[in-house]
Amino acid sequence: MQMAMMAWRLLWSFVLMGVLSCVALEIHPEESQYYAAEGSDVTMHCQYNDTLNNSGYIIWDSAPFGVSPPLIIRFSDGQLLSGRYEPMKGRIRFTAREPQNGDASITISNVSRSDAMTYSCAVKKLPEAEKIMTLTVMKPPSQPICNVQGEFAQGNNVTLTCLSFHGESPLTYTWAKICGNQVLPTNAVVDSVRGTMRVDSIIEQDCGSYRCTVESLVGSKSCELVLPCPDVPEAHMSSALLITISITVVLVILAVSIITTGCLWWSGKKTGQYNFSDVPPPSRWIPKIIEILPSLHYEAKDQTVTMSA
């Protein structure tokens, strides 16, 4: 009888172990590397599937488990227990209000260099599970400065520069056109490491606003610059308008003079009040003035072309 009982207990132990292995406690997601900018907040995830809803406790510690600095934060029997790691006191908390229900993620506020270490999230239930992850704290890139080297004129070569003086590598620079067709010049050469963009033999379509963005693993910053377009069409229009007004004024004056002189000539000849014996009649000199007008038009047109060039 005693032997039967021992065999039964042994069999039950194997069955229980088999059940527990089928419903093993798993921690997810798989992400194990975190990056954070100095002074920012970071959340490290530690979700688990507790299908058996067993009681237990949750511990965040340095990895490997039990090595200094000791206990960072702990949750047990519905109570949150502060860790013994002084540099993090007041800056660390469980992200979920009830971490015993499957989310043991933590959030660290105002992270500093001393927070960069390897962490262990251990869920001490039946069965147990542990996840190892690493936090890297970096200085984010500073506001870059955009500039132009060379004169922006049609046919010239220019280089757009972008430089962030602070920030930890790797830093990656990108350029984008943010107006018009929003397409970079076809012959633009971008150096993503040095932050430059060279444009050879520029054309009028290359003018406009450009944005440079510098990006690292913990943040990004950007600056903008404007390559002005020459206001040639408007200058042409202004010159043509000025010449047109001048010609119109001259024509009006000529017309008034012709009318006035013609009236005086005919009136004087009729009354004999004025002596116009030496003055030819209007029928002789008006056609000559009309012949001159086309030459004035072409001269004004040539002057407009000259000013445009």
Side-chain angles (χ1 to χ4, degrees):
M1 184 69 178
Q2 188 175 2
M3 291 290 294
M5 289 294 295
M6 290 180 61
W8 174 253
R9 289 178 181 177
L10 183 60
L11 178 62
W12 176 249
S13 299
F14 280 117
V15 171
L16 182 60
M17 290 177 61
V19 171
L20 291 178
S21 63
C22 293
V23 292
L25 189 65
E26 294 181 357
I27 296 179
H28 55 88
E30 297 298 329
E31 185 178 6
S32 60
Q33 181 69 54
Y34 292 87
Y35 297 91
E38 282 185 293
S40 67
D41 299 347
V42 62
T43 296
M44 291 188 288
H45 299 282
C46 183
Q47 288 93 12
Y48 59 94
N49 56 334
D50 185 11
T51 55
L52 297 180
N53 197 23
N54 292 322
S55 60
Y57 58 93
I58 301 167
I59 291 179
W60 276 84
D61 208 336
S62 64
F65 184 77
V67 177
S68 180
L71 181 65
I72 294 174
I73 193 171
R74 174 175 175 167
F75 186 89
S76 178
D77 297 327
Q79 294 184 351
L80 175 62
L81 306 176
S82 298
R84 297 189 296 267
Y85 186 45
E86 291 294 334
M88 279 191 182
K89 283 193 174 181
R91 297 189 298 113
I92 187 170
R93 60 180 175 83
F94 280 103
T95 306
R97 297 184 62 180
E98 298 179 346
Q100 77 275 14
N101 292 334
D103 189 357
S105 305
I106 60 171
T107 298
I108 306 174
S109 60
N110 192 24
V111 295
S112 63
R113 297 278 184 168
S114 62
D115 299 332
M117 65 179 78
T118 302
Y119 291 81
S120 166
C121 172
V123 181
K124 300 294 184 178
K125 292 191 174 188
L126 187 62
E128 298 182 357
E130 183 180 5
K131 179 183 178 182
I132 305 297
M133 59 201 79
T134 302
L135 174 62
T136 302
V137 180
M138 305 173 64
K139 190 176 185 64
S142 61
Q143 181 73 35
I145 297 177
C146 290
N147 209 340
V148 181
Q149 295 179 354
E151 181 183 359
F152 188 79
Q154 189 164 343
N156 286 0
N157 302 333
V158 296
T159 300
L160 280 59
T161 62
C162 178
L163 182 61
S164 175
F165 290 94
H166 302 287
E168 294 185 43
S169 300
L171 296 178
T172 303
Y173 293 87
T174 57
W175 281 94
K177 191 176 183 182
I178 56 176
C179 70
N181 56 12
Q182 298 186 350
V183 176
L184 291 178
T186 55
N187 59 348
V189 179
V190 178
D191 189 330
S192 60
V193 176
R194 297 184 179 182
T196 61
M197 181 175 72
R198 179 179 173 85
V199 183
D200 294 335
S201 302
I202 57 178
I203 58 178
E204 188 174 344
Q205 287 76 8
D206 296 335
C207 66
S209 299
Y210 290 82
R211 176 186 293 131
C212 170
T213 301
V214 55
E215 186 175 8
S216 72
L217 294 173
V218 296
S220 63
K221 292 285 185 179
S222 61
C223 60
E224 298 179 4
L225 57 78
V226 177
L227 299 179
C229 297
D231 207 5
V232 175
E234 194 170 321
H236 289 178
M237 185 171 61
S238 300
S239 302
L241 181 62
L242 180 61
I243 294 174
T244 301
I245 293 175
S246 302
I247 293 176
T248 302
V249 171
V250 171
L251 291 177
V252 170
I253 294 175
L254 286 175
V256 172
S257 301
I258 291 171
I259 294 172
T260 303
T261 305
C263 290
L264 291 175
W265 193 91
W266 289 109
S267 175
K269 183 178 181 181
K270 186 176 180 181
T271 61
Q273 184 177 357
Y274 302 100
N275 183 14
F276 287 95
S277 57
D278 296 332
V279 179
S283 60
R284 294 179 58 184
W285 50 269
I286 289 178
K288 292 185 178 181
I289 294 178
I290 295 176
E291 292 177 0
I292 296 175
L293 292 179
S295 63
L296 291 176
H297 170 73
Y298 287 114
E299 183 179 351
K301 186 177 181 179
D302 293 341
Q303 186 173 359
T304 303
V305 173
T306 301
M307 293 181 66
S308 301

